[in-house]
Amino acid sequence: MRRGIDYQNLSRDDLIYLLGVEDKAEIEEIYAEAYKTKLKYIGNQVFFRGLIEISNICRKNCYYCGIRSGNHNVHRFNLSEAEILKSARWAWEHQYASLAIQSGERDDAEFIDFVEAILLGIREFSGNDLGITLSCGEQTEETYQRWREAGASRYLLRIETSNREFYRRLHPADHDYDKRLECLGRLRRTGYQVGTGVMSGLPGQTNEHLADDIIFFKEHDIDMVGMGPWIPHFETPLGRAHPEIDNTRQLEMGLKMIALVRLYLKDVNIAATTALQALHPAGREMGLMAGANVIMPVITENEHRGDYVLYDGKPVCDENAEGFRLALDKAILKLGEKVAYGNQGNSLHWQKRVGKQHG
Ligand code: 5AD
Ligand code: SF4
């Protein structure tokens, strides 16, 4: 039976109930309420982050991820500094105003220096014009500090699941939930806009887990959220054990999570991620209509793009090709939204937290 829901004041029970809703009209209502909330706080604008995947070398071995260190069938690559700077400049010239720099996790000195050098290189040509989100895994506070000083202002480190026991089931024994939590604390202390997120639709995951994930984001006062549906990758333990998924259900769960995070946290930045697009060609646009306000088009122009494959069916298209860019622009306009070119799109939640008026 349908229950009365106060969408602006959801309880944990409401979240669990809504995650379980299967009636199409009721699901549409959740998306519509979330979209209204997004309009109220953020307006009808979408922020772009030009995504540069700088390396798929990773020391971790997460059971779900295609570039885990245990997968020996991946061609490993590192982009050169020149390649990265070229892409960054392209984004800057095209008014993207923000970049997201992503890689597998490494903590050796060479890598730390390399990331720092890139950040300094970007600052050299762009001044402080480009907002930079880093996503390079767990690091020491000193490393986070160095990267912050070199010009990164946001950091995305997904908690993957906020349930300690479930985290243990998704990762090998030397991957530590508490260390990840500690890293979120370090990021906060070093002054980043802090982003985290989870995967939805994982085997063994419950609606209670997901409701608690949403509550976790709020309790940790998170500024940005990047989430996506889990998609099996054939060369991973989890993907091999569960090779079949129901695309429609996975997409629906991913969209519901976006909607519920928007309704529960209201003023955070939420990305409509590539995993949605892997399940449906218009998955990211659906994400926007369910309350997301950020899209991260891959902007690197190189032969390695097909090697950064975390899950099967990841779309590999030339998003910086003029045709794709214009098509995405047009699709966004058709939704009644527009890309906020030239606007860094800092998290409203963060702006309020630190007392900034504009960003
Ligand atoms: N399906 C969906 N998302 C995945 N990630 C890793 N593997 C998969 C997968 N098989 C996500 C994780 C990680 C981010 C970089 O990609 O959440 O934090
Ligand atoms: Fe490495 Fe991240 Fe993949 Fe884990 S999810 S194996 S840390 S790239």
Side-chain angles (χ1 to χ4, degrees):
M1 225 209 18
R2 201 162 164 174
R3 43 189 267 183
I5 296 276
D6 177 359
Y7 283 105
Q8 293 304 314
N9 293 290
L10 296 174
S11 65
R12 179 173 185 270
D13 281 348
D14 292 334
L15 290 172
I16 295 168
Y17 166 78
L18 293 169
L19 285 160
V21 162
E22 290 190 8
D23 178 73
K24 293 284 170 233
E26 212 175 337
I27 292 175
E28 289 302 326
E29 184 178 299
I30 303 171
Y31 299 160
E33 289 291 332
Y35 184 66
K36 264 200 306 206
T37 305
K38 181 257 175 192
L39 278 183
K40 177 171 166 207
Y41 284 85
I42 298 175
N44 63 339
Q45 52 181 350
V46 178
F47 303 126
F48 269 5
R49 282 83 175 89
L51 177 58
I52 309 179
E53 296 161 332
I54 63 173
S55 168
N56 65 353
I57 299 174
C58 188
R59 67 195 179 101
K60 289 283 184 70
N61 208 12
C62 308
Y63 291 147
Y64 42 83
C65 177
I67 62 169
R68 64 200 300 269
S69 55
N71 182 4
H72 300 295
N73 293 322
V74 182
H75 174 254
R76 304 283 170 177
F77 72 89
N78 286 305
L79 295 192
S80 69
E81 190 171 331
E83 285 172 312
I84 298 167
L85 290 179
K86 183 170 170 230
S87 295
R89 186 180 280 278
W90 182 91
W92 182 59
E93 284 167 352
H94 287 79
Q95 294 288 306
Y96 271 39
S98 280
L99 293 176
I101 295 177
Q102 219 163 70
S103 72
E105 184 174 307
R106 276 174 61 187
D107 65 348
D108 52 286
E110 190 189 345
F111 178 73
I112 295 166
D113 291 347
F114 181 74
V115 172
E116 186 178 46
I118 295 165
L119 293 168
L120 293 172
I122 294 172
R123 186 149 70 190
E124 201 170 291
F125 75 77
S126 68
N128 287 324
D129 269 7
L130 277 170
I132 303 180
T133 309
L134 275 185
S135 191
C136 302
E138 296 170 8
Q139 304 290 342
T140 63
E141 190 151 338
E142 186 204 343
T143 299
Y144 286 146
Q145 181 84 42
R146 272 178 62 190
W147 290 346
R148 177 85 185 87
E149 281 164 13
S153 55
R154 316 172 181 140
Y155 204 101
L156 183 64
L157 181 68
R158 291 190 181 179
I159 190 76
E160 313 295 1
T161 170
S162 64
N163 183 291
R164 188 183 299 271
E165 207 279 313
F166 192 45
Y167 189 93
R168 206 148 22 93
R169 279 157 56 193
L170 297 171
H171 300 95
D174 61 340
H175 292 35
D176 183 2
Y177 178 83
D178 287 303
K179 182 165 178 222
R180 190 148 281 225
L181 264 188
E182 166 56 22
C183 284
L184 287 173
R186 289 173 190 164
L187 290 165
R188 170 52 68 92
R189 286 196 294 277
T190 38
Y192 285 90
Q193 294 174 53
V194 181
T196 192
V198 297
M199 283 173 287
S200 52
L202 287 155
Q205 191 174 43
T206 63
N207 291 344
E208 283 78 5
H209 287 150
L210 290 170
D212 289 335
D213 291 339
I214 298 170
I215 295 167
F216 173 96
F217 302 152
K218 176 112 163 207
E219 282 177 348
H220 285 77
D221 205 13
I222 286 301
D223 303 306
M224 335 181 286
V225 180
M227 303 174 293
W230 169 73
I231 302 170
H233 185 292
F234 176 67
E235 314 246 26
T236 64
L238 201 64
R240 274 196 292 267
H242 304 272
E244 303 289 343
I245 49 163
D246 176 341
N247 276 12
T248 313
R249 261 194 87 80
Q250 289 301 95
L251 178 64
E252 200 170 272
M253 211 54 178
L255 295 172
K256 261 193 203 169
M257 281 298 285
I258 289 177
L260 294 176
V261 169
R262 174 61 68 207
L263 288 165
Y264 201 71
L265 279 85
K266 303 190 190 333
D267 58 1
V268 294
N269 275 345
I270 305 177
T273 56
T274 317
L276 294 171
Q277 193 191 2
L279 294 174
H280 191 291
R284 292 183 303 184
E285 289 90 320
M286 293 174 179
L288 296 178
M289 294 318 280
N293 68 313
V294 169
I295 287 193
M296 299 158 66
V298 178
I299 56 164
T300 34
E301 209 180 325
N302 68 81
E303 75 274 24
H304 303 301
R305 203 183 283 179
D307 297 323
Y308 205 93
V309 176
L310 310 184
Y311 41 81
D312 292 330
K314 184 179 169 197
V316 182
C317 51
D318 210 6
E319 292 203 283
N320 54 346
E322 200 65 7
F324 262 102
R325 224 163 53 78
L326 296 178
L328 185 58
D329 247 20
K330 228 162 116 185
I332 289 171
L333 277 175
K334 234 169 115 181
L335 303 175
E337 295 275 316
K338 60 178 184 313
V339 181
Y341 287 111
N343 180 337
Q344 286 191 17
N346 287 309
S347 158
L348 183 61
H349 184 80
W350 170 80
Q351 291 174 49
K352 287 186 198 158
R353 187 157 75 67
V354 300
K356 287 219 174 190
Q357 291 308 307
H358 301 287

